[in-house]
């Protein structure tokens, strides 16, 4: 599935700013396990219907 | 005579005393918060309700909302915000903490002047960003999370802007 974008536009940022953004908000993988569980649960619910 | 023998008695606390007291209060609360997070995870694993964080929540929000201790709460070395991050994290079974926890903490966060240093040491931005991505939070919570991500990233984005000019 496509990687979710930050809610802010990061295009055109210099490298230092991008590094800061990643250090503060993560690389988008920090809680991927929880998002994955969420998706699996939704799928189970869909199948049960 | 007694007053001479006990010069500190009855006097106002010195600045240093107060500082140590606040540091101790925050340190104690941090320990209690981490214990509550572990206890809640264990409860969920046993199929029980997670109530430990909820019981501690009034103390946590009181600390976050006390303007007189704000500089200690936001100090990157004290790192109280890291414990706050633990409170907001999804539990091991992927569920979110109770709605009251989300609501009270997110509301408190909007009122705090959080610095880049505090964000870097606490990692709280990562969990707030997670709330913008997850479908589980209520829309009102997601809105606050999006607002916080916007506010916290503004100084960083602005710096790039200035640099270009």
């Amino acid at each position: 599935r496509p990687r979710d974008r930050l809610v802010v536009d990061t295009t055109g940022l210099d490298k230092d700013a991008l590094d800061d953004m990643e250090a503060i908000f993560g690389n988008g993988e920090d809680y991927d396990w929880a998002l994955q569980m969420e998706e699996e649960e939704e799928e189970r619910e869909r199948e049960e219907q | 005579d007694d007053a001479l023998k006990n010069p500190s008695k009855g006097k106002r606390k010195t600045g240093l005393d107060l500082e140590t007291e606040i540091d101790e209060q925050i340190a104690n609360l941090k320990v209690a918060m981490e214990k509550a997070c572990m206890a809640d995870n264990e409860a969920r694993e046993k199929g029980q309700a997670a109530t430990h964080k909820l019981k501690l929540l009034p103390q946590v929000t009181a600390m976050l909302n006390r303007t007189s201790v704000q500089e200690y709460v936001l100090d990157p070395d004290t790192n109280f915000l890291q414990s706050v991050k633990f409170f907001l994290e999804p539990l091991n079974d992927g569920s979110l903490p109770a709605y009251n926890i989300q609501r009270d903490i997110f509301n408190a966060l909007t009122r705090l002047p959080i610095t880049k240093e505090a964000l870097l040491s606490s990692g709280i931005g990562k969990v707030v960003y997670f709330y913008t991505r997850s479908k589980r939070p209520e829309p009102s919570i997601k809105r606050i999370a999006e607002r916080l991500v916007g506010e916290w990233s503004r100084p960083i984005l602005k710096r790039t802007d200035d640099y270009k000019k």
Side-chain angles (χ1 to χ4, degrees):
Chain A
R1 110 189 128 106
R3 172 79 53 87
D4 295 82
R5 303 279 320 239
L6 265 176
V7 279
V8 289
D9 185 14
T10 54
T11 48
L13 282 190
D14 68 59
K15 195 176 173 304
D16 284 351
L18 273 176
D19 286 348
D20 275 347
M21 288 295 283
E22 193 170 312
I24 291 171
F25 299 107
N27 57 10
E29 289 172 5
D30 297 82
Y31 295 97
D32 250 7
W33 59 270
L35 294 171
Q36 224 146 6
M37 285 172 102
E38 199 174 294
E39 235 168 64
E40 282 162 18
E41 200 173 294
E42 269 181 11
E43 246 164 67
R44 265 200 308 277
E45 276 166 17
R46 266 199 301 272
E47 278 163 19
E48 279 165 20
Q49 274 168 13
Chain B
D1 284 336
D2 277 341
L4 280 175
K5 277 179 209 156
N6 246 330
S8 66
K9 216 175 182 182
K11 265 194 191 169
R12 276 193 58 185
K13 276 179 187 159
T14 65
L16 208 64
D17 283 343
L18 203 65
E19 216 170 284
T20 333
E21 203 177 296
I22 294 165
D23 276 342
E24 254 178 44
Q25 274 179 26
I26 293 182
N28 290 341
L29 186 54
K30 279 175 69 178
V31 172
M33 287 167 80
E34 285 181 37
K35 275 188 191 156
C37 289
M38 284 193 280
D40 275 355
N41 266 324
E42 280 164 23
R44 294 296 295 222
E45 271 159 34
K46 288 181 202 150
Q48 297 162 350
T51 56
H52 297 85
K53 286 202 290 289
L54 213 46
K55 271 184 210 150
L56 206 58
L57 182 64
Q59 283 185 59
V60 176
T61 40
M63 187 64 87
L64 287 172
N65 293 333
R66 245 170 88 190
T67 43
S68 58
V69 299
Q70 215 169 62
E71 60 175 301
Y72 300 92
V73 162
L74 296 179
D75 186 336
D77 293 325
T78 309
N79 217 355
F80 182 66
L81 289 182
Q82 187 184 45
S83 305
V84 175
K85 175 189 88 161
F86 295 150
F87 249 51
L88 288 178
E89 279 181 334
L91 285 86
N92 288 345
D93 62 359
S95 65
L96 295 182
Y99 172 71
N100 285 3
I101 296 176
Q102 301 176 38
R103 183 196 58 197
D104 292 359
I105 290 184
F106 269 108
N107 276 321
L109 288 178
T110 62
R111 289 191 285 267
L112 286 173
I114 299 177
T115 59
K116 184 183 145 190
E117 284 67 35
L119 289 173
L120 288 171
S121 65
S122 65
I124 197 158
K126 295 176 183 172
V127 77
V128 170
Y129 179 49
F130 161 74
Y131 273 77
T132 69
R133 298 174 72 203
S134 170
K135 289 180 200 133
R136 286 184 166 149
E138 302 272 335
S140 61
I141 301 283
K142 279 180 82 85
R143 267 199 300 277
I144 302 179
E146 278 162 18
R147 197 180 116 197
L148 287 173
V149 170
E151 271 171 24
W152 292 345
S153 53
R154 197 170 303 135
I156 299 159
L157 304 178
K158 193 174 170 290
R159 196 187 57 201
T160 309
D161 236 30
D162 292 343
Y163 185 72
K164 271 190 233 153
K165 275 167 202 162

